[in-house]
Amino acid sequence: GGRTDLAQKEEKETVVLQSYLPAQASAQAIQAAIEEAIKSTSASSIKDMGKVMKEVLVKLAGAADNQQVSGLVKERLSKV
């Protein structure tokens, strides 16, 4: 609506809020956590996705988007 003053205020608030969030894990860290979870749970198919997801999410502890992790786990287990 042409209210750059409000947009700038929102952007500043976003920066402050993001400083309180945990740092996001890199793609490599997420992949490593998935591989480690697959090995430790002896996952062999997509049926084991729940076990793998539980372990990965505990390890990453909020440092990754759950939907992103879910997609990566599903993709990786479909290759097993």
Side-chain angles (χ1 to χ4, degrees):
R3 298 286 313 262
T4 56
D5 58 325
L6 291 178
Q8 290 172 348
K9 180 183 175 224
E10 294 291 327
E11 288 175 5
K12 289 178 184 177
E13 289 175 1
T14 300
V15 170
V16 171
L17 291 173
Q18 286 176 342
S19 70
Y20 290 99
L21 296 173
Q24 292 296 298
S26 67
Q28 294 84 8
I30 295 170
Q31 290 292 349
I34 291 170
E35 291 300 324
E36 185 178 314
I38 289 172
K39 287 179 186 174
S40 68
T41 60
S42 302
S44 60
S45 72
I46 197 76
K47 292 178 183 179
D48 299 318
M49 186 169 172
K51 293 189 288 187
V52 174
M53 281 295 295
K54 182 178 177 183
E55 191 162 321
V56 171
L57 294 178
V58 167
K59 181 172 178 69
L60 295 177
D65 177 49
N66 291 0
Q67 288 182 331
Q68 178 188 14
V69 173
S70 176
L72 293 170
V73 168
K74 190 175 202 178
E75 180 183 317
R76 175 60 178 86
L77 287 176
S78 66
K79 293 178 183 178
V80 176

